[in-house]
Amino acid sequence: MSDFDLEALSLGELKKMQKDVAKAISTFEDRQKAEARAKVEAFARDLGYSLAELVGTETKSSRAAVAAKYRHPENPALTWSGRGRKLQRFVGALEEGTTASDLTIS
């Protein structure tokens, strides 16, 4: 392994070295995981199974749709659940004097 005189390096050189070290660590970990996976897959194959059979398939949990809470006063087809950023039409209606309770779906 090379010895580095870190104090002789510029800030740019140190930052580049830091970036290179982080990348080397990441690729090392990826290689280790790939090797471990290959060994586990080979072991499962020796036993007559696939790794997917033993581990199971990962399923993404789907979130249920949130019921609409607010409705546009002129166009009832336009709804909003009340989550996330406020819609421009909602903010505009509030600025015009409509209250949030007026827009609430009953």
Side-chain angles (χ1 to χ4, degrees), residues 44-84:
R45 229 182 355 264
D46 289 345
L47 296 174
Y49 299 101
S50 71
L51 184 59
E53 287 176 312
L54 297 176
V55 176
T57 57
E58 291 184 26
T59 58
K60 246 186 167 180
S61 63
S62 60
R63 293 184 182 181
V66 178
K69 187 174 180 181
Y70 301 103
R71 178 167 287 147
H72 192 276
E74 288 99 36
N75 185 352
L78 298 175
T79 60
W80 178 49
S81 67
R83 293 189 178 180

Side-chain angles (χ1 to χ4, degrees), residues 5-6 24 26-28 32 40 53 58 68 76 79 82-83 86:
D5 184 11
L6 297 176
S26 175
T27 58
F28 178 82
Q32 292 292 338
V40 171
E53 287 176 312
E58 291 184 26
T79 60
R83 293 189 178 180
K86 290 182 182 175

Side-chain angles (χ1 to χ4, degrees), residues 72-73 87-99 103:
H72 192 276
L87 300 177
Q88 288 294 22
R89 63 178 182 259
F90 184 80
V91 173
L94 293 178
E95 289 173 353
E96 291 174 359
T98 308
T99 63
L103 301 174

